[in-house]
Structure formats: C-alpha cells, structure tokens
Amino acid sequence: MNEAKVAFFDRIEQQGLALTFDDVRLRTSANPDNPLPDPLDISSRFSRNVELNTPFVSAAMDTVTESRMAISMAELGGLGVLHAALSPQEQKAKVRTVKYANSGLIPNPKTVNETDSLQEVINRCETENYHFRTFPVIDNNGKFVGLITGRTFRYRDEDSTKTVSELMTPSDQVVKAPANVEVDEAYTLMTKEEVNTLPLINGDGSVKGLYIYDSIKRSIRANDSTHNVDSHHRLRVAAAVPTNESAIERVKLMRGSSDFLDVVVLDSADGDSYWAFRTLDELKSEFPDLDVVVGNISDGESARMLAEAGADGIKVGQGPGSICTTRIETGIGKPQVSAIYECASAVEDLDVPLCADGGIRNHGDISIAIAAGAHTVMMGKMLAGTEEAAGEKLTGPDGRIYKKYRGMASPSSIKDGGAAARGYVGASEETPLPEGVDDEVHFRGPVESVIKLCKQALIKSMKYTKSRSLDDHRKNAQLFRVTNSGMIESMPHIKL
Ligand code: XMP
C-alpha cells in the first residue's frame, strides 16, 4: 500500500470511523510519460496458488452458484464457488460437471452389447436419435471387449445381420487408457497413436468414459485462451464447506482421485470462530496441497490470525451483502471499504490474497474494493438475475421476468437448510434467527454480458488511475472521502 493510502485510512480510523463504497471515490492520476499498455492486465489470485484471468467470483449461495454458473464464471476467466447447502454427494457431482465441461470427455458413454446385431444397433440409433456412431462394446458382465465406430456402419451395410462381436475392433487392438487419464495425457497419447477415440477403462474392466480427439483439441484451444483452467486444461472450480466435521468428508469426495477441486472455501458468517480455526487446521493437515480460503471476517487482527494459521486466502465481508440483515439484527460488521483495507494491510506481508465479499451494487464498487486492498470480488446480487444463476425464474404480476434471490440465512433458506451450511444455526437453536431476507431480482440475461460490463468498467477505472495491472491499481490507486452531496452529484441528477 502506498503512503498516501495508509495516511488516508489512518486519519479515518483515528476519528473512530469506517467507510463503505458510497463514502469514497478514486482519484485520477496524471501520466505524461508512458502510454498504458493495451490490454491492461486484470489477472489476479483467489488464493495463494489459484490464479484467475479476471477477478470476478460468484457467491456460494443456493440462488447463485451451482455447476452452470461455475462453468460460465470459469469460462469468463473468473471462478464460481459451489454453495454448501447441497448434500456431499450432490456437491461432488456438481464439481465433476464443471470439470468435465469442455473437456472432450464423454463420461459413461452409451455402449452396445457384443451379442447385438448391427441392425439392432442401427435401429436403436434411429429410435433414440443418436447423432454419433462410436460405441464401446461390452460383454454380458459389463466388461469392455471392443469398439465400433462410424467406419463399421459405413462400410458394413451388407453385414447388418452379423453380431457386433464379429464386426468390432477387438479390445486387444484398441488403443485405450486407464480411467484416471486426464485430458492432456489423453491428447498426447491419441496424437501419438493417431486415433480419434480413446476409451477409458476402470480397474474392473468396465467403461468409464470416452475421449474424442477433435473435441479435446477444440476444448484445449478454447480453454487455454481466456478460460480459467487448471494444469490439465480443465475449468477451475471452488466449493464452500461449513466449519464443522462434515468439511473433511465433503472435500475428500469432491477432490476424488484426480484433484477435481481447485480450492475450498471455509464459509461462515463468523469466520474467526473457534470452529473456523479448528476446521482450517483439520483441512490443512488432511489436504496440505489444497488451498483453503477462510471467511467471513471484517477485522485486521482476525485476518492476520487466520493467515498465520494457514489460510491461503481470506474472505472479507460481514453484513455488506444486499440480502444481509446481520448488522441490523446483531449490530455486528464493519463498513466494507474499511474492512477490506484493514484486513489487506494486516496480511500484506504474508502473500495471502483477499476476496471482498458482498455489497457490490455498482460497477465502480469493484474498482474501489480492489483499490482498498482486495484481489478479487465475490458477487451475489450482481449475478443472481442471470440465466446461469441457480435461483428459480419467476414471472412477476407486472409480466416481467424475475429470479429468486435470497440470503443463506433468510427465513425460507433456514427452512431448507441453507443457513446451517453457512454456520448461522447454533447447535442448541431450535428456531434460528434470520440474518437475511428473501427477495427477487430482475432477469438480466446471460452472465457473460454482466461480467463483460464489470470488466469494461474496471479497465476504464484503471485507465483513470493509470494502473497497468490490478496489482498496480491495488498498490497505487488513491481514495478520498465524499460527502452525501458529493455522492448525489456523482449520480444522474437531471431531475433535481
Ligand atoms: P451481495 O451484496 O453480492 O452479497 O448480494 C452476497 C454475499 O452476502 C453474504 N450472505 C449473507 N449475509 N445474511 C448475511 O448477513 C445472509 O443471509 C447472507 N447470505 C449471503 C455472502 O457473503 C454472499 O457472498
């Protein structure tokens, strides 16, 4: 942080004040010497080892992030955090859906039996409307015994009464691979062997999946351009877990045998509780190579203690969210810009990225959050109205389309179990206190268009502050305090 920013926040703190987005704006700075690069660098990190191409993260809420949102966020260079109000098995399945998206892998492909006649297979293709003609062949015990492809159909018309086993390429002549082969290894093997299909075979001989060369090639090219991908070219995904004993089991399931989960978010409204520290400790001992982001907190001292206890990222925000009532019900929580700054400056020397979670209402808030010290912003309301958001679509009495958006501690979410997933419910509480509201937001179309605007606005703001990268913006952008009339002046006021 530069000296001017430190001095600004010191002055505010000395007065016993804390600021939020509408209390501040950013200074422009002059740059007579060097033109800014084009494009500016908006890559960032969600945690120590998890990089993003864009600093946007979708909230771990049951009306925001399930696999559809997580896929789109990663495709847009950011990250989706799957919410924890899912059963462990459901959460695992959603992680897999993200990882298999765009991978060129067909999991559990359709198979045919070796005793089927070719005509039976042709009939099935017609009735089931299959557009493909590649099938792994299995025997009566479900074991892989061979492969038929488009060639079998194309050149064997006259053989349609023959059985599949007579026409297939038998297993010993098929290039195949074990079930855990990743897309990059599959691509290398298929290129070397010059094959278009690669069946993946489980230890018991059954078929796990099928890679198709052209789709792998397409997906590697697309994924490696702007998408946020792991070292195997798969889309990155995060998942929230509660601060209790179920965290370990959930992470074990989600990671699976192939490091499917990129980062876990230990998610609680009270992120510096005994249970948060304890679960962090357990997760780091059990999975030392998995990044754990912990939140939510709003105090510098807590950020420091969590970072020293092993957190790989810190999530800041107690009560700034659009659907939150924590501050009203409990009086707890610090205005978000001060919370971000205090936490960021407390862990600055520890290389622990900070995620500013909640309260982003206008695009300019994103730039302010980063200028105050955040590496990424987590958004709920901003994304809740999009097609990909997990909330239900509704038609309002005015005929307009809405999407349901609710706090994880809203009355309806408490009933459905969402509040427990984020630690709002104490063990002895029969009727938990709502700390959020149930609401709806206007439908906004595809998430791509919303993120595009967020990105444009952030880049524009960085141009005004003359920042070449987000790091530059975070270190050097200067804030100043605005009055209420300054804020009124900032908004359209033609009718005033
Ligand atoms: P926005 O403003 O983006 O905020 O809609 C999303 C964030 O709000 C938090 N959250 C809650 N906070 N009561 C709260 O006090 C709740 O019921 C609740 N549900 C979500 C969460 O951090 C989310 O990312």
Side-chain angles (χ1 to χ4, degrees), residues 6-17:
V6 175
F8 169 76
F9 279 104
D10 278 354
R11 279 198 302 278
I12 298 294
E13 204 187 335
Q14 279 157 16
Q15 296 169 63
L17 292 175

Side-chain angles (χ1 to χ4, degrees), residues 59-61 296 315 317 319-326 357-360 378-382 405-410 422 424 435-437:
M61 298 172 73
N296 279 16
K315 200 149 66 72
S322 57
I323 33 52
C324 302
T325 56
T326 295
D357 175 14
I360 301 292
M378 177 174 270
M379 299 182 286
K381 184 190 166 194
M382 186 72 90
Y405 181 47
R406 66 179 182 185
M408 293 298 280
S410 75
R422 203 167 183 263
Y424 290 104
E435 289 182 49
V437 294

Side-chain angles (χ1 to χ4, degrees), residues 378-426:
M378 177 174 270
M379 299 182 286
K381 184 190 166 194
M382 186 72 90
L383 308 174
T386 63
E387 184 65 53
E388 292 82 352
E392 193 187 336
K393 223 186 225 178
L394 314 159
T395 307
D398 55 359
R400 293 184 68 174
I401 301 175
Y402 292 82
K403 286 201 86 166
K404 195 165 153 183
Y405 181 47
R406 66 179 182 185
M408 293 298 280
S410 75
S412 81
S413 186
I414 288 175
K415 239 196 293 161
D416 297 345
R422 203 167 183 263
Y424 290 104
V425 186

Side-chain angles (χ1 to χ4, degrees), residues 68-298:
R68 208 168 157 208
M69 176 63 83
I71 290 168
S72 294
M73 289 302 291
E75 285 179 346
L76 293 162
L79 188 69
V81 184
L82 298 167
H83 69 88
L86 294 160
S87 71
Q89 287 296 344
E90 286 169 331
Q91 215 179 11
K92 167 187 163 180
K94 298 209 184 293
V95 169
R96 299 291 187 280
T97 305
V98 181
K99 282 293 176 195
Y100 291 140
N102 306 352
S103 71
L105 174 69
I106 303 165
N108 306 314
K110 303 282 178 207
T111 53
V112 294
N113 196 289
E114 61 176 345
T115 58
D116 294 339
S117 71
L118 187 61
Q119 190 58 52
E120 282 173 310
V121 178
I122 292 169
N123 294 347
R124 199 170 129 206
C125 288
E126 276 166 18
T127 50
E128 306 274 335
N129 212 5
Y130 293 155
H131 298 297
F132 50 88
R133 292 292 180 271
T134 297
F135 295 95
V137 182
I138 54 170
D139 65 14
N140 286 334
N141 298 317
K143 286 196 187 344
F144 176 76
V145 290
L147 190 72
I148 56 170
T149 66
R151 293 174 66 87
T152 319
F153 293 82
R154 205 172 303 134
Y155 303 116
R156 301 295 185 87
D157 266 359
E158 72 282 8
D159 294 332
S160 61
T161 55
K162 288 191 174 168
T163 61
V164 165
S165 67
E166 292 174 273
L167 301 171
M168 69 188 185
T169 307
S171 174
D172 57 0
Q173 291 169 34
V174 175
V175 179
K176 47 197 181 300
N180 60 357
V181 159
E182 288 301 343
V183 60
D184 47 349
E185 296 165 72
Y187 183 64
T188 310
L189 178 63
M190 292 168 89
T191 310
K192 181 167 158 255
E193 300 288 342
E194 298 184 9
V195 290
N196 191 42
T197 42
L198 182 73
L200 300 187
I201 310 300
N202 288 313
D204 63 1
S206 60
V207 182
K208 158 88 187 294
L210 193 67
Y211 276 116
I212 307 289
Y213 188 73
D214 292 336
S215 343
I216 296 190
K217 205 166 157 182
R218 247 195 326 273
S219 72
I220 286 182
R221 283 203 185 131
N223 281 359
D224 288 354
S225 53
T226 52
H227 296 185
N228 178 20
V229 290
D230 64 17
S231 56
H232 297 296
H233 311 277
R234 305 173 303 193
L235 296 177
R236 281 208 170 104
V237 63
V241 296
T243 51
N244 62 33
E245 62 293 339
S246 78
I248 300 281
E249 183 212 344
R250 278 178 184 268
V251 173
K252 236 182 226 156
L253 275 172
M254 288 190 280
R255 281 199 103 188
S257 57
S258 192
D259 290 350
F260 285 113
L261 187 65
D262 295 282
V263 48
V264 62
V265 177
L266 197 48
D267 197 22
S268 168
D270 187 12
D272 50 9
S273 68
Y274 166 77
W275 294 106
F277 280 98
R278 181 170 157 170
T279 318
L280 168 65
D281 197 42
E282 286 170 359
L283 283 170
K284 287 308 291 183
S285 326
E286 188 80 20
F287 311 101
D289 55 342
L290 177 68
D291 274 11
V292 182
V293 171
V294 190
N296 279 16
I297 54 158
S298 55

